[in-house]
Amino acid sequence: MPGFEVFGEEEKKEIMDVLSTGVLFRYEFPEQRQGVFKVRTFEEQFAKYCGAGYAQAVTSGTAALKVGLTALGVGPGDEVITQGFTFVATWEAIFDVGAVPVFSEIDDTLNMDPADLEKKITSKTKAIIPVHMMGAPARIKEIKAIADRHGIPVLEDTAQAAGARLGGRHLGSFGKCGTFSLDPVKTITTGEGGMIITDDEALWRKMSEYHDHGHDHVQNPGGRGGEGRSFIGFNFRMMELQGAIGLAQLAKLDGIVAAQKKNKAALKEIVAGIPGVTFRNILDEQGDSATFLAFLLPEGAKAKAVNQALKEKGAGAVYFAENTWHYYPKWEHLLAGSTLAHSGWPFKHEDKRRRVVYDPQVLPASAAIIDRTLVYQVPIKLSEERLKQISEAVAKAAGI
Ligand SMILES: *Cc1c(COP(=O)(O)O)cnc(C)c1O
């Protein structure tokens, strides 16, 4: 699953290119940098790889979500719909731009249920964020069609699905924009980092300017600092070392996906031996980035018992029903409205009136799926030894 498994000479060479110029900043230093622009080149190649017109590098996948939402104009008074099965970053970013996250159910893809999405759209909905969890697509075409009917932009959270496609088209390229994470456990990594892709030049310009304090990036005789500003911004700039690692990692992405596919197939064949087991609905097997294998048992109690047996044999799976980072009923700080702000923002208004309340019971359809789901991370490198251990663990679990 994570790209650090295949760190090698390629990453080292890219980093040395940067260190030999001494320029760690993505802009400026025209003479010293000797033509080395790693972040810019990484953006160009990332966009090309995804078949997108533009890419904007930022400091993290969370920053990518915030920059994307900001460029789309989302702010206080707005609602943004995402799914109740995602990493906390998705809704943190929604709060951070001043909007309120609204959570939809998931379906058998383990991603946003389009029918439930439609029910949750209101006049305040200003963006929709389907998340392509665990390397495989949400029903993005249906979601896009619904969003288009309502005139609402779609931002795809593709943090976990770099290299994944649907019908030959890259995930992240269906909506107005798509965000990626390059954190340490993602399919390709730069330690920290994020990327946003879009076909919309005007939107990309907003992202580019916002992520760099509002610098308009128009060359002028005065150099950096002499440009104008159209709106206030912030600093979410990626540094050259990250861009360098990103270039080496991007070049390995298709190879990573191919290796994971092979390993996932081997794991799937083993897991299929558990009586009653079924698998997550992958809309496009060929386009799957194969970072995870999700399998379902007929009921929650069975899933727990199977996982207990797997654990005892050293091959426990991830049980998201009990995971406090990815699943709505487990986000205790969200449910309790915990925040550092004296006013209670974003859960309360300035006058302390409650702005939003989250009820742990509101996503029963998601609970019915997540309670039965077990997940194996698919490594890029899977030894015969480990495969044998998993095989023996599954054989034991199959007997219960
Ligand atoms: C990892 C992740 C993020 C956040 O990315 P960071 O680079 O860690 O900030 C956002 N959304 C999802 C679904 C993720 O898995």
Side-chain angles (χ1 to χ4, degrees):
M1 179 215 175
F4 68 71
E5 285 182 73
V6 293
F7 274 165
E9 292 307 315
E10 301 79 7
E11 283 77 5
K12 286 185 198 161
K13 188 210 156 279
E14 290 287 345
I15 288 173
M16 288 317 290
D17 285 353
V18 175
L19 292 180
S20 60
T21 70
V23 180
L24 302 182
F25 192 48
R26 65 162 301 176
Y27 298 114
E28 280 292 304
F29 302 94
E31 273 115 56
Q32 295 98 304
R33 69 187 319 136
Q34 299 160 32
V36 176
F37 288 92
K38 295 297 185 188
V39 176
R40 193 208 286 169
T41 312
F42 182 36
E43 288 171 340
E44 286 163 4
Q45 295 198 6
F46 198 97
K48 190 166 160 230
Y49 175 84
C50 294
Y54 306 89
Q56 179 62 52
V58 290
T59 44
S60 70
T62 313
L65 287 159
K66 177 159 184 190
V67 172
L69 285 169
T70 303
L72 289 170
V74 178
D78 298 340
E79 291 175 359
V80 177
I81 303 175
T82 190
Q83 59 204 50
F85 177 51
T86 182
F87 182 56
V88 294
T90 317
W91 53 263
E92 285 173 341
I94 297 168
F95 275 130
D96 216 53
V97 299
V100 167
V102 173
F103 295 96
S104 85
E105 297 276 21
I106 56 166
D107 62 19
D108 61 351
T109 65
L110 302 188
N111 289 320
M112 184 176 276
D113 173 8
D116 192 54
L117 159 68
E118 186 136 39
K119 285 187 213 150
K120 286 177 174 157
I121 292 175
T122 71
S123 59
K124 290 183 171 180
T125 311
K126 290 291 148 42
I128 296 166
I129 308 185
V131 187
H132 302 293
M133 284 294 279
M134 303 192 294
R139 289 194 156 79
I140 190 65
K141 290 181 186 166
E142 290 86 335
I143 291 165
K144 182 73 175 24
I146 292 165
D148 285 350
R149 260 205 317 280
H150 292 266
I152 302 166
V154 171
L155 184 165
E156 297 169 74
D157 183 342
T158 324
Q160 297 193 8
R165 300 159 171 88
L166 177 65
R169 188 167 161 188
H170 276 271
L171 300 186
S173 71
F174 288 83
K176 260 284 184 201
C177 56
T179 62
F180 295 82
S181 164
L182 303 162
D183 85 18
V185 293
K186 297 305 200 293
T187 312
I188 59 172
T189 179
T190 59
E192 295 284 0
M195 192 68 85
I196 317 160
I197 58 169
T198 183
D199 276 333
D200 183 333
E201 185 183 351
L203 189 70
W204 167 70
R205 285 201 182 283
K206 286 179 190 165
M207 293 173 184
S208 166
E209 293 172 24
Y210 174 73
H211 106 293
D212 183 24
H213 299 299
H215 281 276
D216 72 8
H217 296 156
V218 176
Q219 289 302 323
N220 74 81
R224 187 172 168 84
E227 312 98 316
R229 295 172 295 266
S230 306
F231 44 78
I232 61 166
F234 213 80
N235 177 3
F236 292 110
R237 289 185 304 254
M238 180 181 272
M239 67 191 272
E240 287 289 278
L241 289 171
Q242 294 159 293
I245 300 170
L247 278 168
Q249 286 271 290
L250 183 64
K252 296 178 182 179
L253 181 49
D254 282 340
I256 290 173
V257 170
Q260 287 174 167
K261 271 192 181 150
K262 190 169 149 274
N263 292 337
K264 181 169 173 176
L267 287 171
K268 188 172 176 184
E269 201 182 311
I270 293 168
V271 169
I274 302 172
V277 77
T278 54
F279 293 92
R280 172 191 190 181
N281 183 359
I282 305 275
L283 299 178
D284 178 355
E285 288 282 355
Q286 229 192 327
D288 182 13
S289 74
T291 46
F292 292 89
L293 173 69
F295 52 103
L296 289 81
L297 280 304
E299 55 203 50
K302 184 78 194 282
K304 275 190 187 178
V306 163
N307 204 23
Q308 188 54 40
L310 293 172
K311 265 188 211 155
E312 282 161 16
K313 285 284 194 175
V318 179
Y319 186 47
F320 278 105
E322 287 168 358
N323 180 297
T324 61
W325 290 98
H326 295 85
Y327 181 42
Y328 176 87
K330 292 285 172 185
W331 294 326
E332 82 292 348
H333 52 333
L334 173 88
L335 302 177
S338 308
T339 168
L340 287 172
H342 299 298
S343 63
W345 181 268
F347 301 99
K348 290 179 180 167
H349 289 281
E350 286 161 66
D351 59 10
K352 303 273 165 97
R353 266 181 314 123
R354 194 75 188 194
R355 192 169 167 240
V356 58
V357 175
Y358 291 102
D359 170 356
Q361 309 292 340
V362 295
L363 298 176
S366 301
I369 296 168
I370 293 290
D371 285 351
R372 300 188 292 117
T373 303
L374 296 176
V375 175
Y376 274 136
Q377 285 191 7
V378 179
I380 303 170
K381 294 176 180 168
L382 180 58
S383 68
E384 283 301 321
E385 213 170 49
R386 177 66 179 154
L387 208 54
K388 190 161 165 272
Q389 185 184 30
I390 295 171
S391 189
E392 283 167 9
V394 168
K396 185 183 170 206
I400 63 166

